[in-house]
Protein backbone atom coordinates (compact mmCIF):
# COMPACT_ATOMS: atom_id res chain seq x y z
CA UNK A 1 0.00 0.00 0.00
CA UNK A 2 1.55 3.28 -1.01
CA UNK A 3 1.40 6.45 1.04
CA UNK A 4 -0.52 8.16 -1.74
CA UNK A 5 -3.11 5.49 -2.39
CA UNK A 6 -4.17 3.66 0.74
CA UNK A 7 -6.93 1.16 0.29
CA UNK A 8 -9.15 -0.09 3.07
CA UNK A 9 -8.90 -3.85 3.65
CA UNK A 10 -12.15 -5.72 3.02
CA UNK A 11 -12.36 -6.84 6.65
CA UNK A 12 -12.32 -3.28 8.03
CA UNK A 13 -15.89 -2.07 8.56
CA UNK A 14 -15.17 1.51 9.60
CA UNK A 15 -14.80 3.19 6.22
CA UNK A 16 -11.89 5.09 4.65
CA UNK A 17 -11.78 8.06 7.04
CA UNK A 18 -11.71 5.85 10.13
CA UNK A 19 -9.12 3.57 8.51
CA UNK A 20 -6.82 6.56 7.88
CA UNK A 21 -7.21 7.47 11.57
CA UNK A 22 -6.25 3.92 12.50
CA UNK A 23 -3.12 4.07 10.37
CA UNK A 24 -2.16 7.43 11.85
CA UNK A 25 -2.59 6.10 15.40
CA UNK A 26 -0.75 2.87 14.65
CA UNK A 27 2.17 4.59 12.91
CA UNK A 28 4.34 4.54 16.06
CA UNK A 29 3.39 0.95 16.99
CA UNK A 30 4.79 -1.63 14.52
CA UNK A 31 2.56 -4.51 15.69
CA UNK A 32 -0.59 -2.37 15.40
CA UNK A 33 0.48 -1.21 11.94
CA UNK A 34 1.01 -4.79 10.81
CA UNK A 35 -2.45 -5.80 12.04
CA UNK A 36 -4.11 -2.74 10.51
CA UNK A 37 -2.49 -3.27 7.11
CA UNK A 38 -3.08 -7.02 6.92
CA UNK A 39 -5.20 -8.17 3.97
CA UNK A 40 -6.83 -10.74 6.28
CA UNK A 41 -9.15 -10.07 9.20
CA UNK A 42 -7.38 -10.14 12.56
CA UNK A 43 -7.59 -13.34 14.59
CA UNK A 44 -8.67 -13.20 18.24
CA UNK A 45 -5.18 -12.40 19.52
CA UNK A 46 -4.66 -9.62 16.98
CA UNK A 47 -8.12 -8.11 17.63
CA UNK A 48 -7.42 -8.16 21.38
CA UNK A 49 -4.02 -6.59 20.76
CA UNK A 50 -5.65 -3.75 18.81
CA UNK A 51 -8.34 -3.25 21.45
CA UNK A 52 -5.65 -2.98 24.13
CA UNK A 53 -3.56 -0.61 22.02
CA UNK A 54 -6.56 1.59 21.23
CA UNK A 55 -7.75 1.57 24.85
CA UNK A 56 -4.35 2.81 25.99
CA UNK A 57 -4.41 5.51 23.33
CA UNK A 58 -7.92 6.51 24.43
CA UNK A 59 -6.76 6.92 28.03
CA UNK A 60 -3.64 8.81 26.91
CA UNK A 61 -5.22 11.28 24.53
CA UNK A 62 -8.98 10.84 24.19
CA UNK A 63 -10.26 12.87 27.13
CA UNK A 64 -10.20 16.43 28.36
CA UNK A 65 -9.02 17.30 31.88
CA UNK A 66 -12.57 16.82 33.18
CA UNK A 67 -12.88 13.38 31.48
CA UNK A 68 -15.10 14.51 28.62
CA UNK A 69 -14.49 12.54 25.42
CA UNK A 70 -12.80 14.61 22.72
CA UNK A 71 -13.49 14.19 19.00
CA UNK A 72 -10.19 12.29 18.83
CA UNK A 73 -11.41 10.11 21.69
CA UNK A 74 -14.66 9.42 19.84
CA UNK A 75 -12.69 8.25 16.80
CA UNK A 76 -10.71 5.89 19.01
CA UNK A 77 -13.93 4.58 20.57
CA UNK A 78 -15.27 3.95 17.05
CA UNK A 79 -12.10 2.01 16.20
CA UNK A 80 -12.44 -0.04 19.38
CA UNK A 81 -15.99 -0.89 18.28
CA UNK A 82 -14.69 -2.13 14.91
CA UNK A 83 -12.23 -4.51 16.58
CA UNK A 84 -14.74 -5.64 19.21
CA UNK A 85 -17.11 -6.63 16.39
CA UNK A 86 -14.32 -8.61 14.74
CA UNK A 87 -13.55 -10.39 18.04
CA UNK A 88 -17.25 -11.21 18.59
CA UNK A 89 -17.63 -12.77 15.14
CA UNK A 90 -14.99 -15.40 15.82
Amino acid sequence: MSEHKRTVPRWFRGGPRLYRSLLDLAAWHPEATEIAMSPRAPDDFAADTMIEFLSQELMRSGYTDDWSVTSHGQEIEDLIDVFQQIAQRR
Side-chain angles (χ1 to χ4, degrees), residues 35-74:
I35 293 167
M37 295 181 76
S38 174
R40 292 190 211 120
D43 61 17
D44 288 342
F45 180 78
D48 288 343
T49 298
M50 289 301 288
I51 291 168
E52 179 63 27
F53 164 71
L54 292 166
S55 296
Q56 289 176 6
E57 183 63 24
L58 179 62
M59 292 304 295
R60 188 182 73 75
S61 66
Y63 297 102
T64 64
D65 291 338
D66 65 355
W67 292 102
S68 297
V69 177
T70 64
S71 60
H72 177 67
Q74 184 59 56

Side-chain angles (χ1 to χ4, degrees), residues 12 18-27 36 50 54 79 83:
F12 187 81
L18 199 56
Y19 185 67
R20 281 189 300 275
S21 294
L22 174 62
L23 293 180
D24 290 344
L25 283 170
M50 289 301 288
L54 292 166
L79 288 166
F83 285 96

Side-chain angles (χ1 to χ4, degrees), residues 11-14 42 44 47 51 77-90:
W11 58 263
F12 187 81
R13 300 289 182 232
D44 288 342
I51 291 168
E77 287 180 348
D78 292 344
L79 288 166
I80 290 170
D81 289 344
V82 168
F83 285 96
Q84 284 178 331
Q85 290 173 3
I86 290 169
Q88 290 172 356
R89 279 189 249 153
R90 295 192 172 262

